[in-house]
Amino acid sequence: MKIETLLSMLLLLPVLWSNAQAPADRPNILWIVSEDNNTSLIGCYGNDFATTPNIDRFAKESILYKNAFSTAPVCAPSRNTLITGMYPPSLGTEHMRSTNPVPSFVRFFPKYLREAGYYTTNNAKKDYNTVDQTDAWDESSNTATYQNRKPGQPFFAVFNLNVSHESAIHQPAATLHHDPEKVPLPPYHPATPEFKRDWAQYYDKVEEMDRQFGKLLTELREAGLADNTIVFYYADNGGVLGRSKRFMYESGLHVPLVIHLPEKYAHLARAQAGSQTDQLVTFVDFAPTLLSLAGIPIPDHMQGQAFLGLQQKPERQYAYGFRGRMDEAIDLSRSVRDKKYRYTRNYLPHKPYGQHLEYLWKAPSIRSWEAEYKAGRLNEIQSRFWQPKPAEELYDVDADPDNIHNLATDPRYANELARLRKANDQWLRESKDVGFIPEAILSRIANQTPLYDFARQGKYNVNRVIETATLASSRNPADAKELVNRLNDPDPVVRYWAAMGCTVLKPGGAKKPLLPLLQDPEAAVQIAAAEALYGLGQKEQPLAVLKNALTSSSRPVRLQALNALQTFGKDAAPLATIAREIIAKTPMTNPVNDFYDVRAAQTLLDAIGN
């Protein structure tokens, strides 16, 4: 056979295969998604204190994935990954509850299933962190169900179990099933009464989630559909107590994933039913995997790879994670995980892990943790959450599942550190990570063009930006001279990162070149320069710049200024009146809209005693 003929046949295979499978021949697919729980809260992952009999029983006849990861440690960005099959920092959708648009070719993956004849339902959470595509679903509501499909029609159905959501611990329950005095605590949490109770209460909520999971499986069996339905169980991110959800540790990113393929579809997986696999999978892989299972060609733009079905790819080497703005707190970290190590790069290391978040602080446990820190009653491990971050973190997750022993400065792990550092850097450049553009600039660009497109139009010098952000965050005094030189760079994003580097390093020679940036054309650069100059002992001029920023019509500008002011302590008091005006002008009549500048303004007022 001629090579040209063979290549033509290979190219036609996905089309022929798709056409050969009538919709009735395709598997039903059921997603059961719990909220805010990591692997440590599920019995089949080794926790004897957990009460999850239904999931545990399900795992015995399914494939349990030991290395499944959310791309973000919080719901909306991770759900953006799930629905698009793409990496949110490449789409400009990484920041919590942004509405930046995606390119027109990025379609929510259930659309492909609908076009192939599937009945698609979502019950009921979306939270996709971009402009919604409502035509992805035949039904999306609190009553949506596969039972409304046409006779014989295959279905893809999602059920979101929100009983385990973070909000479940905001109010103490009257009674508890799990004993607070016996609940296992991670070493980074102090054994306060509030922590014991919140942990016990959350175990109760996971137990209720397990009951709901079991009910959905019973309904499937009673409908006579179990033998034709592939079932996924997973959580939308880790969590839920402090230092898990929102944070770049195993506790925030390592999620349970158990998949059952009925006997007739068992050939679509490499692993066998009842087994456990250490294969690395990540949320960016879920969309292509669903299309692979349904016999639908995977679009080229999807950045994930199928791990089930006839289009599955070789196992990935790394799982990538990210942290952007979390509610009202600006931050930026990236993470790489292989089967043994987790590497995290913190690009704003001067900011503590425990930046105040109005929603997180609703949990009694986080408030007790902060009080213990302020009272000086914590040990070194428990205190780290309230302190600035190292530039790099490296954990042996086998030996240290709680991620408390940072190996980044241990010379015995220098090779692993260099390897994972390189993998992170390469991925940022390859994916054209736009998360390094300050949001005040990012949001303005998004109003004109999708950020994914912008990054590929020759207008984003990703290599120089990543290089500067790396210098800025390395905490290496030898980089100070180059950072000061880059304060005059023609690219405002580079100037921004050079100024942030001056905040981190506080080089004495930076004062004079920083001063002109207080009149920079970009407000984001002005604010970064003001924060750096305050750290170098200046006060009056930085306050004047931030006062002006607080009156900006741009919410991201106001939010950046409020974040900077939180480092000023009592010196921010002259701007208290403007902070109160921000709150008064933007009443939070609909908290779902997340007026984060209002929350940050209240945090500032609380900090300065107003």
Side-chain angles (χ1 to χ4, degrees):
M1 183 182 293
K2 292 183 177 180
I3 187 65
E4 293 85 356
T5 305
L6 179 60
L7 288 172
S8 298
M9 290 180 65
L10 289 172
L11 290 171
L12 282 172
L13 269 178
V15 178
L16 294 172
W17 168 44
S18 179
N19 290 339
Q21 280 190 296
D25 298 328
R26 292 174 175 169
N28 304 315
I29 304 171
L30 173 64
W31 273 8
I32 303 176
V33 188
S34 59
E35 294 203 48
D36 296 353
N37 60 278
N38 54 42
T39 57
S40 68
L41 291 149
I42 307 296
C44 58
Y45 278 89
N47 186 344
D48 294 335
F49 190 77
T51 310
T52 54
N54 293 294
I55 297 172
D56 298 346
R57 187 163 48 248
F58 176 70
K60 290 179 180 179
E61 55 189 28
S62 306
I63 303 168
L64 183 147
Y65 288 80
K66 295 191 293 184
N67 288 321
F69 301 97
S70 168
T71 48
V74 71
C75 55
S78 72
R79 286 173 177 269
N80 181 269
T81 313
L82 288 165
I83 204 68
T84 63
M86 298 189 71
Y87 188 62
S90 73
L91 288 173
T93 53
E94 76 167 273
H95 297 304
M96 185 63 177
R97 296 220 166 83
S98 60
T99 55
N100 295 336
V102 297
S104 59
F105 62 81
V106 178
R107 308 168 71 202
F108 290 2
F109 79 84
K111 289 188 180 185
Y112 298 104
L113 294 166
R114 286 192 74 188
E115 291 172 355
Y118 273 77
Y119 189 75
T120 64
T121 67
N122 178 56
N123 186 330
K125 186 172 182 177
K126 290 185 174 181
D127 210 8
Y128 297 138
N129 225 46
T130 188
V131 179
D132 195 9
Q133 298 179 20
T134 57
D135 58 345
W137 307 103
D138 287 287
E139 290 184 76
S140 182
S141 70
N142 291 329
T143 59
T145 173
Y146 57 83
Q147 297 176 17
N148 295 333
R149 73 196 188 287
K150 297 175 183 178
Q153 186 178 14
F155 66 80
F156 169 60
V158 181
F159 288 88
N160 292 275
L161 307 181
N162 63 11
V163 66
S164 56
H165 185 263
E166 175 183 13
S167 56
I169 60 170
H170 286 172
Q171 296 296 327
T175 59
L176 293 172
H177 178 211
H178 291 81
D179 186 347
E181 295 305 316
K182 295 180 179 178
V183 67
L185 296 178
Y188 46 81
H189 282 166
T192 65
E194 293 87 352
F195 258 121
K196 293 177 182 180
R197 185 175 187 89
D198 279 2
W199 268 110
Q201 184 164 320
Y202 194 65
Y203 273 103
D204 283 2
K205 295 302 180 180
V206 171
E207 182 178 8
E208 174 57 29
M209 178 274 290
D210 179 79
R211 281 194 288 268
Q212 295 179 8
F213 170 84
K215 182 180 178 182
L216 288 170
L217 288 189
T218 298
E219 291 174 354
L220 189 74
R221 286 195 299 269
E222 291 178 347
L225 295 167
D227 291 340
N228 296 304
T229 304
I230 297 172
V231 181
F232 283 54
Y233 163 67
Y234 67 95
D236 66 344
N237 50 255
V240 70
L241 279 81
R243 195 190 177 272
S244 55
K245 182 179 178 181
R246 301 182 184 87
F247 296 96
M248 302 292 283
Y249 297 106
E250 293 295 287
S251 55
L253 291 163
H254 194 184
V255 296
L257 172 64
V258 186
I259 302 176
H260 178 72
L261 292 90
E263 186 177 352
K264 67 186 294 184
Y265 300 119
H267 64 283
L268 298 176
R270 295 190 183 102
Q272 301 297 312
S275 68
Q276 297 186 3
T277 175
D278 66 355
Q279 179 179 0
L280 283 170
V281 298
T282 172
F283 277 5
V284 77
D285 300 327
F286 278 38
T289 297
L290 264 286
L291 298 183
S292 177
L293 289 170
I296 299 169
I298 299 168
D300 290 339
H301 69 265
M302 285 189 175
Q303 294 166 319
Q305 56 190 51
F307 58 89
L308 296 169
L310 298 181
Q311 299 174 79
Q312 60 185 297
K313 296 294 181 77
E315 182 178 354
R316 63 166 54 251
Q317 183 179 6
Y318 298 120
Y320 301 99
F322 64 92
R323 171 181 162 98
R325 176 180 51 73
M326 293 290 170
D327 296 348
E328 65 268 33
I330 295 172
D331 208 348
L332 199 153
S333 299
R334 298 291 184 262
S335 192
V336 181
R337 173 71 146 82
D338 65 10
K339 289 184 179 180
K340 185 170 174 60
Y341 296 100
R342 175 169 296 285
Y343 168 84
T344 297
R345 178 80 193 204
N346 298 306
Y347 291 93
L348 296 173
H350 61 294
K351 293 178 178 289
Y353 300 98
Q355 294 186 76
H356 185 93
L357 295 173
E358 185 266 347
Y359 198 79
L360 176 59
W361 256 247
K362 289 184 177 183
S365 51
I366 195 78
R367 300 196 298 270
S368 76
W369 194 3
E370 183 180 36
E372 291 295 294
Y373 177 71
K374 289 180 177 179
R377 290 191 289 264
L378 298 181
N379 62 34
E380 190 270 334
I381 292 172
Q382 296 162 350
S383 297
R384 290 177 197 160
F385 184 74
W386 306 100
Q387 298 167 351
K389 302 183 287 290
E392 294 179 298
E393 299 175 67
L394 179 68
Y395 302 102
D396 179 338
V397 295
D398 291 334
D400 178 24
D402 290 311
N403 301 166
I404 58 173
H405 301 295
N406 185 7
L407 307 174
T409 58
D410 189 329
R412 293 174 296 175
Y413 296 89
N415 290 339
E416 302 297 345
L417 180 70
R419 174 176 62 86
L420 292 166
R421 178 193 292 150
K422 181 179 179 180
N424 176 65
D425 193 72
Q426 287 179 336
W427 175 241
L428 300 182
R429 296 167 192 259
E430 178 186 334
S431 63
K432 299 188 185 301
D433 190 320
V434 296
F436 289 82
I437 303 174
E439 198 170 9
I441 299 174
L442 194 77
S443 60
R444 191 177 67 245
I445 296 170
N447 288 333
Q448 303 296 322
T449 185
L451 290 153
Y452 182 92
D453 293 338
F454 170 81
R456 287 155 181 79
Q457 293 172 350
K459 301 176 183 178
Y460 180 41
N461 191 345
V462 63
N463 291 329
R464 186 164 177 81
V465 167
I466 298 301
E467 181 182 77
T468 309
T470 301
L471 291 172
S473 58
S474 293
R475 295 189 181 277
N476 185 352
D479 296 329
K481 182 177 180 180
E482 179 59 25
L483 286 166
V484 170
N485 289 338
R486 295 190 186 201
L487 292 171
N488 295 315
D489 197 274
D491 186 339
V493 182
V494 173
R495 296 197 299 275
Y496 165 85
W497 279 107
M500 294 308 300
C502 293
T503 295
V504 173
L505 290 175
K506 297 181 172 56
K511 283 186 180 180
K512 185 174 181 180
L514 277 167
L515 284 170
L517 297 189
L518 296 178
Q519 285 83 43
D520 195 273
E522 288 290 350
V525 178
Q526 294 178 21
I527 296 167
E531 185 175 2
L533 283 165
Y534 178 78
L536 290 169
Q538 303 288 101
K539 180 177 174 181
E540 184 175 345
Q541 290 170 296
L543 277 176
V545 167
L546 296 175
K547 178 181 180 180
N548 183 61
L550 292 182
T551 63
S552 170
S553 60
S554 166
R555 179 169 286 125
V557 169
R558 298 196 298 271
L559 184 57
Q560 185 187 343
L562 288 161
N563 270 253
L565 282 166
Q566 287 173 22
T567 67
F568 283 40
K570 297 291 184 180
D571 286 341
L575 303 186
T577 299
I578 301 177
R580 284 193 289 269
E581 289 173 355
I582 290 173
I583 297 171
K585 291 177 181 177
T586 316
M588 292 183 65
T589 54
N590 181 6
V592 175
N593 287 335
D594 298 310
F595 298 125
Y596 292 130
D597 58 329
V598 175
R599 297 185 187 185
Q602 186 59 58
T603 296
L604 178 65
L605 292 175
D606 292 342
I608 61 180
N610 282 273

